[in-house]
Amino acid sequence: MNSADLIYFQSQTMSALFLAKLMHLESGPILRHDFLDGEFKLQLPENLSSSVYIYYTLDHPSDKFLELLFAARTARHMGVQNLTLIAPYLSYMRQDAAFHPGEVISQRIIGDLLASLFDVVITVDPHLHRITKLEEAIPVEHALVVSAAPLLGQFAALKRANPLLIGPDSESIQWIEQAALANQLDYAVAKKIRHSDEKVEIKLPKTKVKDRHVVLLDDIASSGHTLASAVDLILRKGAKTVDVAVTHALINADTYDLLKLSGIENIWSTDSVIHSTNVVSILPDIARALMSLNKD
Ligand code: R5P
C-alpha cells in the first residue's frame, strides 16, 4: 500500500473503514499474530505517510494498551511524525484518585503513557470527575473531546414526545446540560451514593416525573446498577415510560437483562463501543473535529 493514513486493529475494521471514508483517508490494518505462549506480534502496513491516525476504541482493554505501545513505537521507527489516537471510548478515566494507600491512580498512568506515544488524542465523553479538561489527564499537544450528548438528546426527542432527561448522578450534569440545551428539552439531575460495584443508592430530583417520558442519560452503562436503581424510583413516581441513552454501552448480557427487567423500554447508545443497542454514530462528529484541527 502506498500510503496508510488511518490504521486499525482488525477487530474494529468496520468502524475504522467508515471513519477513513468520512475523512477521505487511506487505510490499512495492523496485523496481529498470536503465539501459543500468549505473546503476540504486530505488523503495521508498509509505507506509512508522515501523519497517521490509529483507530482503537478501548473498552475491555486487556492487552489493548500493550498493542498501542507496540504499534505507536513502531510507527515512529517507520518515520511517522504526527501520530493521533482515535479512541472513541477511553478506559481507565474513572480511576482518578487513590482512596486507600497503595491504590493505583490508573487515569494518571494511562494518561502519561498515551502522552508519551501520541501527539493528538481524541475521545468521546471521557469520564472526568475531579478534573475538567482531558489534557489534565493526558498531557498531550492536543487532547480533543467530542460529546455524544447532543446526538443522544436529539435521538430521544425523535422517539419520545417532550422527553424529560434525567442524569443519574452529579457527574452526569456535564452531559445532561449539553443534550438538553442543544434540543430544548427539560432536564434534572439525581444524586447517587455508590456503596459497592453492585449497590447503588439514588435520590431523585424534585422535578415531577408523573406522566412524563423520562430518558435517563449517562456516559456509561457498565454493571447497569446506576441506571436500574434510578428506573425503579422513576416508575414508582408515575413516569409513563423510561428509556436509557448512554454514550458508551459497556453492557454484557447480565447488564442487559438487569436493565430490561428493571422496566426500561429502550436502551440507546452510540457506536463508540459496538453493541446491539447502538442507534447513532459518533464517527461523523469525530471526523469533523479532526478535520477542523487540521485546518487550524
Ligand atoms: C459514573 O459515575 C458513571 O457516570 C456511570 O454512572 C457509571 O460508570 C455506571 O456504572 P454502572 O453501570 O456499573 O452502575
Side-chain angles (χ1 to χ4, degrees):
M1 125 183 221
N2 292 325
S3 84
D5 290 320
L6 187 149
I7 61 178
Y8 54 89
F9 291 87
Q10 286 175 294
S11 57
Q12 301 184 3
T13 301
M14 295 277 278
S15 300
L17 292 185
F18 180 39
L19 188 61
K21 191 167 174 216
L22 290 170
M23 295 179 69
H24 313 291
L25 297 173
E26 293 284 318
S27 61
I30 299 169
L31 305 178
R32 172 172 164 147
H33 174 76
D34 285 280
F35 296 103
L36 293 177
D37 55 16
E39 294 180 18
F40 64 88
K41 182 179 77 172
L42 301 180
Q43 185 183 353
L44 276 57
E46 285 177 64
N47 304 322
L48 297 175
S49 62
S50 65
S51 285
V52 164
Y53 299 89
I54 298 185
Y55 182 91
Y56 214 9
T57 203
L58 296 168
D59 60 302
H60 301 92
S62 56
D63 55 18
K64 282 181 175 175
F65 286 100
L66 190 57
E67 290 179 300
L68 277 183
L69 172 68
F70 289 170
R73 287 272 157 81
T74 305
R76 297 290 190 190
H77 290 149
M78 292 167 78
V80 172
Q81 307 274 309
N82 299 302
L83 198 51
T84 296
L85 170 65
I86 304 169
Y89 178 64
L90 185 51
S91 41
Y92 288 117
M93 291 297 107
R94 282 175 288 178
Q95 293 147 35
D96 61 355
F99 297 100
H100 305 283
E103 206 168 79
V104 171
I105 305 177
S106 314
Q107 184 194 75
R108 189 182 294 159
I109 295 167
I110 293 296
D112 286 347
L113 172 70
L114 296 181
S116 73
L117 300 176
F118 295 97
D119 305 294
V120 180
V121 172
I122 185 166
T123 189
V124 183
D125 294 333
H127 189 92
L128 304 180
H129 182 195
R130 274 160 276 262
I131 57 170
T132 51
K133 289 191 179 334
L134 185 62
E135 53 263 39
E136 294 173 55
I138 308 176
V140 75
E141 194 180 339
H142 296 286
L144 306 179
V145 170
V146 169
S147 180
L151 204 56
L152 289 171
Q154 186 184 41
F155 188 84
L158 276 176
K159 293 289 168 188
R160 297 291 187 195
N162 189 27
L164 166 65
L165 304 183
I166 295 188
D169 54 30
S170 58
E171 288 137 82
S172 63
I173 184 87
Q174 54 190 306
W175 303 294
I176 279 283
E177 269 183 353
Q178 292 189 63
L181 296 178
N183 299 286
Q184 287 102 46
L185 302 175
D186 297 335
Y187 72 98
V189 173
K191 287 199 178 115
K192 172 169 91 179
I193 303 170
R194 177 156 232 141
H195 298 288
S196 68
D197 284 354
E198 298 191 342
K199 194 154 185 282
V200 173
E201 200 184 317
I202 299 281
K203 199 164 182 284
L204 286 185
K206 292 212 161 62
T207 315
K208 279 204 178 118
V209 300
K210 193 166 164 41
D211 296 328
R212 296 291 308 259
H213 292 294
V214 173
V215 177
L216 276 166
L217 190 138
D218 206 1
D219 59 334
I220 294 170
S222 178
S223 71
H225 287 286
T226 299
L227 295 166
S229 312
V231 174
D232 185 46
L233 297 175
I234 293 169
L235 285 175
R236 275 198 265 144
K237 286 202 177 293
K240 227 182 229 167
T241 57
V242 185
D243 302 299
V244 155
V246 289
T247 303
H248 310 294
L250 305 178
I251 298 176
N252 64 19
D254 289 346
T255 301
Y256 187 83
D257 290 347
L258 175 78
L259 292 176
K260 282 306 213 180
L261 287 173
S262 72
I264 288 168
E265 288 206 10
N266 298 289
I267 306 168
W268 300 316
S269 67
T270 80
D271 57 357
S272 69
V273 176
I274 297 300
H275 191 264
S276 61
T277 56
N278 292 168
V279 291
V280 285
S281 178
I282 194 62
L283 298 181
D285 285 353
I286 291 178
R288 262 191 294 278
L290 287 171
M291 290 194 289
S292 79
L293 178 71
N294 290 340
K295 272 197 219 126
D296 295 343

